[in-house]
Amino acid sequence: MNAYAPEHGPGIHAEVGDQIVVGGPTVGRPGRDGEVIALHHPDGTPPYDVRWSDTGRTSVFFPGPDAHVRHLHDGAVARPAGRISRTEQ
């Protein structure tokens, strides 16, 4: 599990603009990555809307144990309650 910040407790947390990285399905096969473009929960817990770099498509993503978040921004951004998308920032 990933830890975002102590106040959020254990588990995976992301913000809009973060990168999701997923391991490959088998040894020797590449994984994939994508950008979090929207949250479904204001606390940053899954699921996320992710735009995948290999296809350009967007899907609702529920991270499994082989997924982690790469935080690509400086500090936390205050978010209003509800679903947040990159276009709202």
Side-chain angles (χ1 to χ4, degrees):
M1 285 191 185
N2 296 334
Y4 173 69
E7 66 269 15
H8 291 292
I12 192 167
H13 292 81
E15 293 185 12
V16 172
D18 284 347
Q19 182 182 38
I20 296 284
V21 180
V22 183
T26 59
V27 174
R29 301 223 24 209
R32 68 191 307 206
D33 64 89
E35 178 186 2
V36 176
I37 60 168
L39 304 175
H40 290 253
H41 302 287
D43 66 353
T45 57
Y48 310 113
D49 289 353
V50 175
R51 181 181 308 117
W52 299 104
S53 63
D54 58 346
T55 63
R57 293 182 177 217
T58 300
S59 64
V60 176
F61 178 67
F62 294 84
D66 60 341
H68 68 274
V69 174
R70 189 174 295 154
H71 302 286
L72 302 176
H73 47 79
D74 298 327
V77 176
R79 296 181 303 259
R83 189 170 168 174
I84 299 97
S85 72
R86 173 160 277 222
T87 58
E88 293 175 295
Q89 292 186 344

